[in-house]
Amino acid sequence: MLSITAKQTFLKLGRSWTCCICNFESRFMRTQETTKDYNLCMKPQVQTEIPGPQTRKLTKEMDKIQNTAVLSLFCNFEKSKLNYLVDADGNILLDCFQQISTLPLGYNHPTILEQAHQSASTIANRPAIGYFPSSDFPALVTNSLLKAAPKGLTQVVTMGCGSCANENAYKSLFFWYMKKQRGEEVPADVHDIAYTSCMKNQAPGSPKLSILSFDGGFHGRTIGTLSTTHSKALHKLDVPAFDWPVAPFPKLKYPLEEYGRENAQEEARCLAMVEDLIEQWKDTRPVAGMVIEPIQAEGGDNHASDDFFRKLRNIATKNKIGFICDEVQTGMAITGRMWAHDYWGLETPPDIVTFAKKMLSGGFYYSDDFRWKHGYRVVNTWMGEPIKLMLLEKVLEVVQSQNLLLQAEITGHYIMNGLRQLEKLFPELLSCIRGRGLFIAATVENGKREKFVTNLLQKGVLIGKCGDHSVRLRPSLLFTPAHADILLEKVEETARDMRS
Amino acid sequence: MLSITAKQTFLKLGRSWTCCICNFESRFMRTQETTKDYNLCMKPQVQTEIPGPQTRKLTKEMDKIQNTAVLSLFCNFEKSKLNYLVDADGNILLDCFQQISTLPLGYNHPTILEQAHQSASTIANRPAIGYFPSSDFPALVTNSLLKAAPKGLTQVVTMGCGSCANENAYKSLFFWYMKKQRGEEVPADVHDIAYTSCMKNQAPGSPKLSILSFDGGFHGRTIGTLSTTHSKALHKLDVPAFDWPVAPFPKLKYPLEEYGRENAQEEARCLAMVEDLIEQWKDTRPVAGMVIEPIQAEGGDNHASDDFFRKLRNIATKNKIGFICDEVQTGMAITGRMWAHDYWGLETPPDIVTFAKKMLSGGFYYSDDFRWKHGYRVVNTWMGEPIKLMLLEKVLEVVQSQNLLLQAEITGHYIMNGLRQLEKLFPELLSCIRGRGLFIAATVENGKREKFVTNLLQKGVLIGKCGDHSVRLRPSLLFTPAHADILLEKVEETARDMRS
């Protein structure tokens, strides 16, 4: 529920709009703001079937070179703007998915474009950051990543993408765990069997340790992270995996506030299973740590309570295992907080927080304890790229100056209320409206999901899918109640069409 | 040995220089070419100790945020130019390492800068390539990656870095192998146990298959690739690994042409071991394929003969397992061929060729047979980035118009001859000069390597290290005999200093 304080703060900023649900008065974005290019708000304009003839033609061409099974649309990025994606056929779509949630300020944001224009040298001279960084790199990290650092985490390292972020976070976890076991980071004796055995992929140098992950979790598609990914069988099928434990993730009923008691029971069951698994694995492949998303995204936008995560963190602490929070999808303001785990009120922060997507660079924050001392342990030739941090610095400036955290919270509240209204009107189509900030999903049961998404796209609104039966919104941080009105209107039209 | 034809072709281009070794006459780059900015050739200028006070100060600052154990120098990329790196202290260094061999045309090449300047929109709107590519993406892939495609490989997919390229190449290998086993890419029966077992990391869905790799090989630091990396224990220590077979890589004597018989014996021994391992692993973790570098780079610039690789490819074919050629470091013209495996004269091309570094994007080429049909099997949110291919397109244009493949071969020949001369003068320091094109290394035994590299850097020449006792050159493709003269002069000075 949106707090009164949030409403008041927002009003102080001189922005308001009329919320059709809670009567919170507003003319937000409709008046002075709308006229500004960067708050562009307009109805989508669809001229062809989608995918249109151009996308179909180009897909055919592309398919000669590579698999195109997941290809949705070819785009015209030059013409796209903020919340609006222009596709290859000239259709103007309200984009609520934003390149799988990777563009924090939408398309061609003037501040971001300007920075890109000024950065030709940075782009042309991509460095091996870990070895030969530019002189302004420490300041750049300080002004970008550290400004967004989760409370309690002082260290950060960049990587190219979310998978690499998690792969390296897992390695850091193992280093930390083994350092505790042996009392030193690496064996002082250069003839220690650990050094020779690891070169042959054998214990003790390659220890039989594990990472506990959760049913429905998604942490990447590289082979290491894939042993912790459990969202879709097709992601994993035929790839050798580590025999690592998989705990149940709570299957909660929505809205959460209506099912407090049942949900608490389900969470208690899952927490007990986590403790059991840690115990069971102790003698075969001890659990060095666990990895979890604050909201399981790819797996279906599955939520758990703040209390669940607090207890999970405590289980990790109690068992002296690491706690990795994967915020690749939930991070960077979309939930209305910089990090989704900010909601939990943890006593001890996560040991590691991984990021990518809207952070523009992959990487992870980690606590002092998790810092490794020896070189070459966590490194990569490129390790991401400075230009990403230069753009991130600008994104953070816009987020702060435009108060986008608060806007995400308020707009999210507005969308949730709207969707819940529609859920009542179309119970045969929509259920389980859930979300935090702009990170919102709904269940579309009975095999109607594909049709729903396609029909909505035909009306000019692009949304994503997740899990087996859900649709997800991942709009840019510039999404306002005015855009939400368009979204809600088109969802309603689509639902009516599907009923008739 | 440099071919007469190569010399003649080069002369036809109106470029020549006097080679101190083979008396191949020249004024190459010293006259008309030198004056052109893009062929800048000058002595390095060292003003401070290296690392200088600025680098030391910045390292201290950076170390508060992250481990800096491998950090060499802070750089001033704005001032750097082509083969010359300007460090944070204003020292102008002849850079023979080029950001770990990732900059094909050195720093601030005007053509690359120009492209970067024009590409602000591409940079600001980084797409999720696999899902929502730009309309010009098929043409872009055709004009960049496909222009450089290894003979016989028609398919290509981009990834963010070399590790991700290999991770996904391995997955494609497993998909291909299992498709052969079951006669279809995925089980048609949706209730097949493969689908449920893989979600729990168990066979048969997560099959007990392996990839055969080689002692001394390096294929990345993510957890999957790490089970095939065997260059340094510190890369692997404490990270759980798959029990996959490791074959010996030939330990050859240099110069290769002088030890033909012994080297052939050593290679035969290794080939026999490969066949043995495939047989041994058959019942526990069948070998789905093997992965090898044409020249083991990180592991010490270890060479094997073209004949060895041809036979290895045949072993793969005979045993119906995949053959992955990791050209992350050897690819993109540095050996004097677009791909190092072009030298081998293979009857059947490799099944997969992976790339990154000087290709600017990670990714891999693969044969039609290895193509997967179902979506979500090899994908990533970003999958690299279009701007990298736009720059690569320009690089390929320059390589062709400036005849840089030939220049790499000739300059490499020139450097090799020079180093062999120095090897005779300083046998206590230098040995085993080996290389192909500009991909050149030498052994610096008896614990003198660190001092040699440091002293050379003090004279303004930056080179890399590899293996336990070797140094490596990875200059840009713009490196000419004129630059080689400076390199050789400084190596000679350093060797003299170290003797006295």
Side-chain angles (χ1 to χ4, degrees), chain B residues 471-484:
Chain B
V471 293
R472 56 177 159 169
L473 304 180
R474 297 291 186 272
S476 85
L477 300 173
L478 296 178
F479 209 80
T480 68
H483 300 103

Side-chain angles (χ1 to χ4, degrees), chain A residues 174-223:
Chain A
F174 292 125
F175 298 158
W176 166 83
Y177 189 88
M178 290 305 295
K179 184 174 68 179
K180 282 192 305 165
Q181 302 296 305
R182 69 164 74 93
E184 53 189 354
E185 183 177 320
V186 302
D189 178 2
V190 295
H191 299 295
D192 193 290
I193 191 176
Y195 290 119
T196 43
S197 57
C198 76
M199 293 296 263
K200 294 286 180 190
N201 299 334
Q202 302 298 320
S206 306
K208 291 199 180 305
L209 294 175
S210 67
I211 294 177
L212 181 141
S213 52
F214 292 83
D215 276 331
F218 180 91
H219 305 286
R221 291 180 167 95
T222 46
I223 298 176

Side-chain angles (χ1 to χ4, degrees), chain A residues 63 66 156 167 223 385 388, chain B residues 66 156 167 223 385 388:
Chain A
D63 198 70
Q66 57 186 226
V156 68
E167 288 279 342
I223 298 176
E385 198 176 5
K388 306 304 178 207
Chain B
Q66 57 184 228
V156 68
E167 288 280 341
I223 298 177
E385 199 177 3
K388 307 304 178 206

Side-chain angles (χ1 to χ4, degrees), chain A residues 404-476:
Chain A
L404 296 184
L405 275 173
L406 185 59
Q407 180 172 307
E409 190 180 351
I410 292 183
T411 309
H413 170 73
Y414 186 87
I415 299 172
M416 287 278 284
N417 279 341
L419 285 176
R420 287 205 171 132
Q421 198 81 344
L422 294 173
E423 181 184 19
K424 281 181 202 141
L425 290 173
F426 304 98
E428 79 284 7
L429 189 73
L430 298 171
S431 63
C432 299
I433 309 301
R434 54 204 187 268
R436 220 157 206 183
L438 295 165
F439 199 103
I440 294 172
T443 301
V444 184
E445 291 283 3
N446 308 321
K448 291 182 189 159
R449 180 175 71 171
E450 302 308 312
K451 197 173 171 200
F452 176 70
V453 171
T454 308
N455 289 8
L456 196 56
L457 184 58
Q458 217 55 52
K459 292 184 187 298
V461 175
L462 175 62
I463 62 172
K465 295 178 277 187
C466 59
D468 292 327
H469 308 286
S470 296
V471 293
R472 56 176 160 170
L473 304 180
R474 297 291 186 271
S476 84

Side-chain angles (χ1 to χ4, degrees), chain A residues 308-447:
Chain A
F308 172 79
F309 288 106
R310 279 193 299 269
K311 286 179 174 154
L312 205 56
R313 205 297 162 238
N314 290 342
I315 290 175
T317 308
K318 192 181 81 183
N319 287 278
K320 296 180 177 140
I321 66 173
F323 185 71
I324 303 178
C325 187
D326 177 341
E327 293 240 29
V328 167
Q329 195 151 158
T330 50
M332 184 65 226
I334 191 169
T335 66
R337 297 287 182 275
M338 187 54 74
W339 302 99
H341 79 263
D342 289 341
Y343 281 104
W344 301 344
L346 290 180
E347 279 175 31
T348 313
D351 297 304
I352 294 180
V353 174
T354 63
F355 57 82
K357 287 196 161 74
K358 268 194 305 301
M359 289 290 283
L360 305 181
S361 171
F364 59 96
Y365 296 98
Y366 52 108
S367 70
D368 288 3
D369 257 14
F370 272 67
R371 196 177 147 124
W372 56 97
K373 201 174 74 189
H374 292 265
Y376 301 108
R377 300 204 90 187
V378 168
V379 80
N380 168 273
T381 296
W382 284 317
M383 300 181 76
E385 198 176 5
I387 179 67
K388 306 304 178 207
L389 302 191
M390 294 167 81
L391 299 180
L392 176 63
E393 184 178 344
K394 293 295 164 191
V395 169
L396 290 169
E397 282 171 22
V398 173
V399 166
Q400 187 171 28
S401 70
Q402 305 242 95
N403 221 358
L404 296 184
L405 275 173
L406 185 59
Q407 180 172 307
E409 190 180 351
I410 292 183
T411 309
H413 170 73
Y414 186 87
I415 299 172
M416 287 278 284
N417 279 341
L419 285 176
R420 287 205 171 132
Q421 198 81 344
L422 294 173
E423 181 184 19
K424 281 181 202 141
L425 290 173
F426 304 98
E428 79 284 7
L429 189 73
L430 298 171
S431 63
C432 299
I433 309 301
R434 54 204 187 268
R436 220 157 206 183
L438 295 165
F439 199 103
I440 294 172
T443 301
V444 184
E445 291 283 3
N446 308 321

Side-chain angles (χ1 to χ4, degrees), chain B residues 309-328:
Chain B
F309 288 106
R310 279 192 299 269
K311 285 178 174 154
L312 205 55
R313 205 298 162 239
N314 290 341
I315 290 174
T317 308
K318 193 182 79 184
N319 287 277
K320 297 182 177 136
I321 67 172
F323 185 71
I324 303 178
C325 188
D326 178 341
E327 294 240 27
V328 167

